[in-house]
Amino acid sequence: MLNTIYRIVIALLCFGPAARAETPAVLDASAVPHVSAAGRTDYQRFLLQAVPRAFALSEDGAWGWAAAIDDDPVATETRAVQNCAAWGGRGCRIYARDLDVVWPGREAMARPAPATPLAGGAGWRLQPDGRFLWQGPEQARGVYLWAHGRSAGGADSRGTQPQPHARAFNNAGYDVVRLDRDPATDETEAGAAWMRVALAELRARGYRRVVAAGQSRGAWNALQALDAPGRADAVIAIAPAAHGPTGSIAHAWALDDLRRVVAAARSPGTRIAIANFSGDEFDPDPNGRAAIFGAFAGRGAALLLLDRPPGLTGHGAGADWRFTLRYATCLLDFAEGRVRGCG
């Protein structure tokens, strides 16, 4: 299963739009020195990881990598070197760090994403994410818009890293942009309105494909944006929710609100992917919600419903490495119309 996933990822990294000038150096697995074919395959897995991340190797052919160790770049690099040494490597050094190749004699820095927001207003901003490779609308294959959840207690989720499955899109040439929302004004309908404006802005900038994605409340807002055609070519909704965890009084009308979102959807050209997990404390009725999600099948170009996949539990399961390895490449394929389901 994993070898199949790696082969698909390798193929995707080699396939991009004609407009792309060149593949960023960090994505070129064939350029990784000293390691075997197995090492280059493992490098593809590394490229699906969140940052901070580091890939280490030695001249005698050993390798090792690490990602997001306590969100500490130094700890992450130290672990990568240790992992390389644990496989017998002598003199292990860092080959790739985050988006850059840093191996002596092969150094290549990635093009930085714009530091300033592309658009914004009171309570929201459309922010390029500098933790991902950047092409710009003229050369990018498309754009992947990520909307975060709304944290309990009003914690500020702006700037949080999109889930790792976004790497499959980014590695294939999509720019990654966040829809950051101020928790002080982040009510459900406000978030939906900002999502609609953000998608229109990305269309106006000339991106070839626009993907609206999110987790929890961000995913719910992405589904709400289906109420008019043409806003997004695909929607990827990971554990969509807008009614609080178990015990919330809002659970009493959560299913009715979801039915209204489905009934309002009028986007026949949009491909819709939804992931729903067992043990999700924000899901008041797993069977009922799954049935309602199924009604999106008649409201878009195609529906992919990942309903309670085995081994993945809880509201945050979309960030689990097993979800990334199983479904990241499939979600890209589905969004671009190559497959209808994920085996």
Side-chain angles (χ1 to χ4, degrees):
M1 177 66 176
L2 293 184
N3 286 338
T4 300
I5 291 171
Y6 298 155
R7 286 197 296 271
I8 293 171
V9 173
I10 291 169
L12 286 169
L13 293 176
C14 294
F15 176 76
R20 288 182 73 189
E22 60 183 69
T23 300
V26 73
L27 298 182
D28 188 359
S30 67
V32 181
H34 306 302
V35 301
S36 63
R40 293 189 175 94
T41 297
D42 203 26
Y43 185 76
Q44 303 295 336
R45 185 181 182 184
F46 162 76
L47 290 175
L48 289 174
Q49 307 305 311
V51 302
R53 62 186 186 183
F55 188 94
L57 58 84
S58 67
E59 294 184 5
D60 54 12
W63 73 89
W65 58 265
I69 304 298
D70 298 325
D71 288 326
D72 182 337
V74 174
T76 298
E77 289 194 23
T78 299
R79 182 73 59 83
V81 171
Q82 291 172 342
N83 289 341
C84 174
W87 288 100
R90 292 172 293 180
C92 293
R93 291 181 290 171
I94 300 299
Y95 171 78
R97 174 186 298 121
D98 294 343
L99 309 179
D100 303 324
V101 174
V102 297
W103 189 260
R106 297 175 183 251
E107 298 91 340
M109 303 298 106
R111 174 185 176 183
T116 57
L118 301 181
W124 70 282
R125 66 187 179 195
L126 189 60
Q127 180 65 52
D129 196 307
R131 295 163 294 197
F132 291 80
L133 296 163
W134 184 261
Q135 301 287 336
E138 296 81 13
Q139 292 187 333
R141 184 167 175 162
V143 62
Y144 178 100
L145 175 62
W146 175 257
H148 57 77
R150 185 182 185 194
S151 298
D156 194 341
S157 296
R158 289 175 293 184
T160 53
Q161 190 166 177
Q163 289 184 345
H165 71 264
R167 297 279 164 189
F169 287 81
N170 187 233
N171 293 348
Y174 284 70
D175 289 341
V176 176
V177 181
R178 300 190 316 270
L179 178 57
D180 284 346
R181 310 184 309 274
D182 186 338
T185 55
D186 184 21
E187 300 301 327
T188 301
E189 296 307 317
W194 298 332
M195 172 67 74
R196 296 179 186 109
V197 173
L199 291 172
E201 174 68 25
L202 294 172
R203 284 286 192 206
R205 287 176 176 266
Y207 280 103
R208 293 172 178 81
R209 292 188 185 93
V210 176
V211 176
Q215 191 265 344
S216 191
R217 245 291 306 288
W220 186 277
N221 290 153
L223 293 174
Q224 288 179 291
L226 292 167
D227 62 354
R231 289 192 176 118
D233 298 290
V235 164
I236 298 175
I238 308 298
H243 296 82
T246 301
S248 169
I249 189 173
H251 273 196
W253 56 85
L255 296 186
D256 286 340
D257 282 355
L258 181 57
R259 290 188 187 95
R260 280 190 280 272
V261 171
V262 174
R266 289 172 175 79
S267 191
T270 304
R271 302 175 68 81
I272 305 165
I274 302 171
N276 202 33
F277 303 107
S278 298
D280 184 346
E281 67 272 24
F282 288 80
D283 185 346
D285 181 352
N287 291 330
R289 285 220 324 166
I292 298 170
F293 286 141
F296 274 115
R299 300 285 179 168
L303 173 68
L304 171 62
L305 178 56
L306 303 175
D307 183 29
R308 291 164 284 182
L312 294 164
T313 60
H315 194 56
D320 190 299
W321 64 269
R322 291 166 294 185
F323 182 86
T324 304
L325 288 183
R326 288 183 204 170
Y327 300 119
T329 319
C330 173
L331 288 171
L332 172 62
D333 279 343
F334 176 79
E336 295 192 338
R338 288 187 292 277
V339 295
R340 294 190 66 87
C342 293

